[in-house]
Amino acid sequence: MRALKIGLLLGALSAASWAEDKQTPAGAVNIPFEGLKTFSEVYGRIQQDYVEPVPDDKLLEDAIRGMLSGLDPHSSYLDQEQYNELKVGTTGQFGGLGIEVGMENGFVKVIAPIDDTPAFHAGIKAGDLIIRLDDKPVKGMSLNDAVKMMRGEPGSPIVLTVVREGVEQPLKITITRDIIKIKSVKSRMLEDGYGYLRITSFQSKTGDNMVEAVDEMKKKGALKGLVLDLRNNPGGVLNAAVAVSDAFLESGLIVYTDGRVEDAKMRFSATPNDIIGGAPMVVLINGGSASASEIVAGALQDHKRAVIMGEKTFGKGSVQTILPTSNGGAVKLTTARYYTPSGRSIQAEGITPDVPISRVKLEMAAKSEFAPIKEADLAGHLSNDKSKKGGDAKDKDGERLDEALALQDYPLNEALNLLKGINIVHKNGVKN
């Protein structure tokens, strides 16, 4: 009976290889006979000789997973449960640890931890390689299986063993699972006239939420500059990246995609109305900025609309399409590469910042008992007949604020300083 089943499988699949050599729809493609013959032989050996019986549906599903995972790190098969989780994830809430991951050399690689999630608070960093989940080695595990292991009941712990660049020994990090609710847009004023926007991921409503955040900041006065923070943003929905880019551009191409089929060839252009009226911008990026983040950074860089500052980005320049299957699952398939307005492909290259800033940590220098001597300290010095009382105190307060920001977030402090410099140049009418 088993031999008959295998023979029928081979016969049914190989018949397609005799079809005419022309473009055919999904489900009716030409299939090589010799390859199917080998598949049938292996299938039969497993069914006949494997140490334990394996259900047919499991073998075929695993074969599909292997076929997709062999294409690239981002193509995969999603069963019904995984497909439903993916749909929930794009709306801003899902269960798990709060990290965006991919595969590299058989290990799970952290693209970026998501802000204010268990993984973020536990100290997981972009670039970490996860080699064990609890006591189970990740090597040989599919990405979907690894993700499934990391998800679980809120409140339950999991131990991640990670290899980190610059650290000799693997790190064991215990993380407690939780319901991940992502607020994709955060905002605040850095100083009078200088706003700060952080986008943690690109969801279906990110564009609208960002515009609302900017409107709230503008109620406090005209914006003289804006920092857009895309650090450790793993990406998300393509349309959201287009909407964010469009908000700061008046015209021109934002991004285009190119693939083998017509549906994969798309172009997105900006519409009039820059929501901050052309005020200078700095975009912060790092190695955890990926996919949709790179689309935004690339578009603003190519149009010379913003200064890109930080570290080189992750380099994910491909588009995945979710194709539902008849069994309630879906295929996540890489169908196109995307390109910046100038025609650059980000795939495996990333966005190079205009102003590179390495990861550094500042510390306050020990204060000397002997402060530098200034003119005001000299006996008999002339007074400043135009000085205003309280001016020194104000300057000192300003210095303390600058020091605090520099200690907390050095790249952000540098971005703010750059915006101030641009405004000084514009105010003074300095020309190149």
Side-chain angles (χ1 to χ4, degrees):
M1 182 66 183
R2 183 178 290 120
L4 176 60
K5 185 192 301 181
I6 296 168
L8 289 173
L9 174 67
L10 176 61
L13 293 177
S14 64
S17 66
W18 301 331
E20 294 180 12
D21 185 17
K22 62 181 181 180
Q23 186 72 24
T24 50
V29 296
N30 296 331
I31 303 176
F33 177 82
E34 288 301 323
L36 289 172
K37 182 179 178 182
T38 302
F39 174 83
S40 179
E41 289 173 357
V42 174
Y43 185 90
R45 283 297 182 186
I46 294 172
Q47 289 285 43
Q48 179 177 314
D49 300 334
Y50 188 65
V51 65
E52 295 175 352
V54 184
D56 289 337
D57 56 352
K58 183 182 185 314
L59 274 179
L60 291 172
E61 189 171 287
D62 287 347
I64 294 170
R65 290 187 190 278
M67 180 167 55
L68 287 162
S69 65
L71 297 175
D72 63 73
H74 308 291
S75 294
S76 61
Y77 173 74
L78 308 173
D79 59 28
Q80 191 169 3
E81 180 183 355
Q82 292 165 335
Y83 182 33
N84 290 334
E85 287 177 352
L86 178 68
K87 288 188 287 186
V88 171
T90 59
T91 64
Q93 178 173 318
F94 58 93
L97 305 180
I99 47 178
E100 178 78 10
V101 294
M103 291 295 288
E104 183 175 286
N105 299 324
F107 296 110
V108 176
K109 182 173 184 177
V110 176
I111 296 175
I114 300 169
D115 280 5
D116 297 327
T117 62
F120 177 85
H121 293 301
I124 295 294
K125 297 183 180 297
D128 283 350
L129 283 180
I130 302 173
I131 60 174
R132 282 183 178 270
L133 296 171
D134 284 332
D135 293 326
K136 190 168 183 180
V138 170
K139 192 75 170 178
M141 192 183 296
S142 71
L143 182 60
N144 285 329
D145 287 341
V147 170
K148 198 168 185 177
M149 274 196 70
M150 287 187 278
R151 294 187 176 179
E153 288 295 321
S156 61
I158 184 172
V159 178
L160 272 57
T161 304
V162 304
V163 174
R164 181 173 296 167
E165 186 177 355
V167 179
E168 291 185 6
Q169 298 295 326
L171 303 172
K172 286 196 172 185
I173 302 175
T174 302
I175 306 176
T176 301
R177 297 178 178 92
D178 200 357
I179 296 297
I180 309 300
K181 296 180 180 179
I182 302 175
K183 184 180 179 182
S184 67
V185 178
K186 301 177 182 179
S187 64
R188 72 177 194 268
M189 296 302 295
L190 297 172
E191 288 185 12
D192 289 343
Y194 294 96
Y196 172 79
L197 274 176
R198 166 134 181 86
I199 300 180
T200 58
S201 64
F202 288 88
Q203 302 165 9
S204 54
K205 296 183 179 180
T206 295
D208 293 336
N209 293 340
M210 187 198 70
V211 172
E212 292 170 4
V214 171
D215 287 341
E216 285 298 316
M217 288 192 287
K218 288 195 292 188
K219 289 179 181 178
K220 300 173 183 178
L223 287 176
K224 294 185 289 185
L226 180 71
V227 178
L228 177 60
D229 191 348
L230 300 179
R231 291 174 295 178
N232 292 327
N233 182 323
V237 180
L238 173 62
N239 287 340
V242 171
V244 169
S245 304
D246 188 13
F248 303 107
L249 296 172
E250 293 279 0
S251 62
L253 190 61
I254 294 174
V255 65
Y256 67 96
T257 65
D258 192 20
R260 293 172 61 195
V261 299
E262 281 303 314
D263 287 347
K265 302 177 190 296
M266 298 181 289
R267 297 176 70 86
F268 299 89
S269 297
T271 56
N273 187 25
D274 179 343
I275 62 172
I276 61 172
M281 286 182 66
V282 172
V283 178
L284 288 175
I285 56 174
N286 65 4
S289 307
S291 192
S293 297
E294 296 171 293
I295 288 175
V296 175
L300 297 181
Q301 187 178 52
D302 280 2
H303 284 285
K304 303 187 186 306
R305 178 62 187 87
V307 177
I308 312 301
M309 176 181 284
E311 305 170 52
K312 197 171 186 178
T313 59
F314 184 78
K316 181 182 179 295
S318 59
V319 179
Q320 282 68 49
T321 303
I322 307 300
L323 306 168
T325 55
S326 58
N327 64 352
V331 170
K332 184 169 77 168
L333 190 66
T334 299
T335 55
R337 289 183 174 87
Y338 71 76
Y339 300 85
T340 70
S342 65
R344 290 183 294 163
S345 172
I346 308 305
Q347 180 59 29
E349 287 293 331
I351 295 288
T352 300
D354 301 310
V355 181
I357 295 183
S358 301
R359 298 185 189 186
V360 296
K361 182 179 180 181
L362 298 186
E363 294 183 358
M364 286 288 289
K367 291 189 176 181
S368 172
E369 296 180 13
F370 305 100
I373 296 175
K374 299 182 180 179
E375 170 71 17
D377 299 319
L378 299 178
H381 68 271
L382 290 175
S383 62
N384 187 324
D385 60 344
K386 295 184 182 283
S387 65
K388 296 180 181 179
K389 291 183 178 181
D392 289 344
K394 184 178 179 182
D395 290 343
K396 289 177 181 177
D397 288 341
E399 287 175 5
R400 284 196 291 270
L401 288 172
D402 289 345
E403 287 176 355
L405 183 58
L407 291 172
Q408 294 169 6
D409 192 335
Y410 176 69
L412 178 54
N413 184 69
E414 290 299 288
L416 177 59
N417 286 336
L418 178 57
L419 288 175
K420 291 178 180 178
I422 292 172
N423 276 313
I424 290 172
V425 170
H426 288 171
K427 182 179 180 180
N428 293 339
V430 178
K431 298 181 180 179
N432 293 330

